[in-house]
């Protein structure tokens, strides 16, 4: 099993920034892709940003320029830098990994609330 634990969420004012982290642990694995999703109440889970297996980054079109995905392979950690946050960014943010063996893992999520 692979465990993913997100952190860094919280309450932030509109226009503010947060940096989310996702620490991976457990069994060794090879990655097909890894990334961030989010889910707001009453809305479908949506892809925020992800790394492809060849290191390319993919972003939701509406988030380009505000969010940046990065990773520290030595520390098995994935990051999401979120800038210029808007109330509509309020959601539970989850990290996910798809292994080359076809296994999909999700973290429990971290709540991001953007409100004045």
């Amino acid at each position: 099993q692979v465990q993913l634990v997100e952190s860094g969420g919280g309450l932030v004012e509109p226009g503010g920034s947060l940096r989310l982290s996702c620490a991976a642990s457990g069994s060794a694995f090879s990655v097909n892709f890894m990334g961030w999703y989010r889910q707001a109440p009453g809305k479908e889970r949506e892809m925020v940003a992800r790394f492809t297996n060849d290191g390319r980054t993919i972003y939701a079109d509406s988030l380009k320029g505000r969010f940046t995905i990065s990773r520290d392979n030595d520390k098995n950690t994935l990051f999401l830098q979120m800038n210029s946050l808007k109330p509509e960014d309020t959601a539970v943010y989850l990290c996910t990994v798809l292994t080359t063996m076809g296994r999909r893992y999700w973290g429990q999520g971290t709540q991001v609330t953007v409100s004045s």
Side-chain angles (χ1 to χ4, degrees), residues 4-83:
L4 305 173
V5 180
E6 303 95 337
S7 62
L11 176 64
V12 64
E13 294 185 351
S17 298
L18 286 173
R19 192 188 195 199
L20 307 183
S21 299
C22 174
S25 62
S27 301
F29 62 95
S30 297
V31 173
N32 187 297
F33 74 80
M34 64 181 74
W36 291 93
Y37 284 66
R38 69 184 184 183
Q39 188 163 22
K43 299 179 66 176
E44 295 182 353
R45 184 173 295 179
E46 63 176 337
M47 191 273 290
V48 174
R50 69 177 186 172
F51 282 101
T52 65
N53 61 1
D54 59 354
R56 293 181 292 113
T57 55
I58 300 174
Y59 294 89
D61 288 341
S62 63
L63 302 179
K64 288 182 178 179
R66 295 197 298 121
F67 289 14
T68 304
I69 189 171
S70 61
R71 61 188 175 188
D72 185 337
N73 290 332
D74 292 338
K75 297 182 178 180
N76 298 316
T77 303
L78 186 70
F79 302 98
L80 182 69
Q81 179 67 45
M82 306 186 295
N83 298 323

